[in-house]
Amino acid sequence: MAVQKALPKRTRRLGDSIHAWAVMQAIPATMALPFEAFVPFAPIFENQELPVVANPKGSRWVARPGGHWPGPEHGLHVRDSMAQAAGAELDRLGAMLKPLPGLIRGGKYVVVCPNSAIGYKEWPETSWSHVIEESLGLGLDVVIASEPARERIRAPHGAEFLDVSVVGLARLLTRASCLVAPDSGPVHLADALGVPAVGLYGATSTVTYGPYRDKSFCIDMHEELYPQGERYSSARHLPDVDMAMMGIDRVLEAMKRAVASDQDRVRRDLCLGC
């Protein structure tokens, strides 16, 4: 009888790498392995309990012998389905990353990350412009962290642009009131750092692809925009969806709630220190 081997899964995407780390650190100690992290992401996983090894091939998680991962499933978060295949302890999957030392910017601010690795997940540039303008009008500082390889969006005067690496973004998020972004790696990074994430979901669903710890500030129009007459699946991507259907007022309302939540947290922390 052939011996079944553990099956490694690799990824070079930030969100998937965060899920992979969460799964690997939740594997029982008797089965635990060091976490292999894609080189550009490795520093954000260091100084955690799980040892980290940088790997140029990508981040890796391991399905246990006989563990089958069918891919994303309807009604189940992708991290949960990964964990089931890996034999991880489900109650440990919400682990948080420790903030990186070294601040990029002082004060409090809203971080906007308008880009996604998959274009059809993105919100229109004109919509971003309106939200940023309204945010500045409310007295909020706005920092736009675009992917270095992408063209900057047009934004109102007063917004600050920063081209940052993933490590730089992690440091930037340390002092952020919230993050606003489409379904993308930065949403999962903010969530893992305990920063309120306003995720814009239309082409994908928060049920399967949303932030794992707290999706209460996300906008999920996936089921609303799903093709009529077809059986719904939260795991299905909708590449033909029009993200412009997501209203500006709806995003602004979610952002205001996220900022207020962060302000409440700061006040609680100050009271605890009294």
Side-chain angles (χ1 to χ4, degrees):
M1 180 178 177
V3 177
Q4 291 183 313
K5 297 181 179 179
L7 302 176
K9 315 287 184 180
R10 289 199 182 274
T11 178
R12 292 189 174 190
R13 290 187 174 178
L14 175 59
D16 290 342
S17 294
I18 292 170
H19 296 325
W21 170 79
V23 167
M24 291 300 289
Q25 63 80 39
I27 288 177
T30 55
M31 302 164 54
L33 298 169
F35 178 55
E36 294 183 20
F38 187 35
V39 170
F41 308 155
I44 70 174
F45 299 110
E46 294 172 354
N47 301 318
Q48 315 290 329
E49 293 183 7
L50 185 66
V52 175
V53 177
N55 193 313
K57 294 182 179 179
S59 302
R60 187 180 81 149
W61 65 280
V62 181
R64 70 184 187 277
H68 172 62
W69 188 60
E73 300 178 64
H74 168 62
L76 194 64
H77 197 283
V78 66
R79 188 181 299 183
D80 288 328
S81 62
M82 290 166 63
Q84 290 175 2
E89 298 173 352
L90 301 183
D91 60 350
R92 293 173 55 196
L93 292 177
M96 292 177 61
L97 291 169
K98 296 176 183 178
L100 293 179
L103 295 177
I104 284 185
R105 189 186 188 283
K108 295 289 284 185
Y109 42 83
V110 172
V111 175
V112 168
C113 290
N115 306 130
S116 176
I118 302 176
Y120 58 74
K121 297 180 181 181
E122 295 181 349
W123 209 35
E125 183 178 284
T126 53
S127 298
W128 283 118
S129 183
H130 284 296
V131 164
I132 293 167
E133 185 173 14
E134 290 285 341
S135 301
L136 294 169
L138 292 170
L140 299 171
D141 288 347
V142 179
V143 179
I144 304 171
S146 301
E147 290 186 10
R150 296 286 297 274
E151 184 178 350
R152 289 179 173 180
I153 63 171
R154 290 186 292 273
H157 177 72
E160 180 181 353
F161 281 94
L162 284 178
D163 293 332
V164 293
S165 64
V166 167
V167 173
L169 179 60
R171 291 195 173 103
L172 181 65
L173 286 169
T174 300
R175 293 289 295 273
S177 295
C178 71
L179 167 87
V180 189
D183 178 12
S184 59
V187 169
H188 301 290
L189 180 58
D191 185 57
L193 290 168
V195 177
V198 181
L200 312 184
Y201 285 76
T204 52
S205 168
T206 57
V207 173
T208 298
Y209 303 107
Y212 192 82
R213 295 182 62 258
D214 184 4
K215 62 184 73 171
S216 63
F217 303 107
C218 292
I219 301 167
D220 188 343
M221 295 183 64
H222 185 255
E223 190 165 3
E224 185 178 332
L225 298 174
Y226 207 80
Q228 292 186 353
E230 296 188 22
R231 185 176 181 179
Y232 180 70
S233 171
S234 66
R236 178 178 167 183
H237 284 224
L238 304 178
D240 298 323
V241 77
D242 182 6
M243 286 292 289
M245 295 289 290
M246 187 174 292
I248 294 165
D249 289 344
R250 198 167 174 181
V251 176
L252 275 170
E253 187 275 332
M255 186 196 69
K256 290 176 185 176
R257 286 194 296 108
V259 170
S261 171
D262 180 68
Q263 291 171 342
D264 289 343
R265 179 191 60 79
V266 171
R267 282 192 289 268
R268 287 196 301 271
D269 290 346
L270 289 174
C271 288
L272 288 174
C274 294

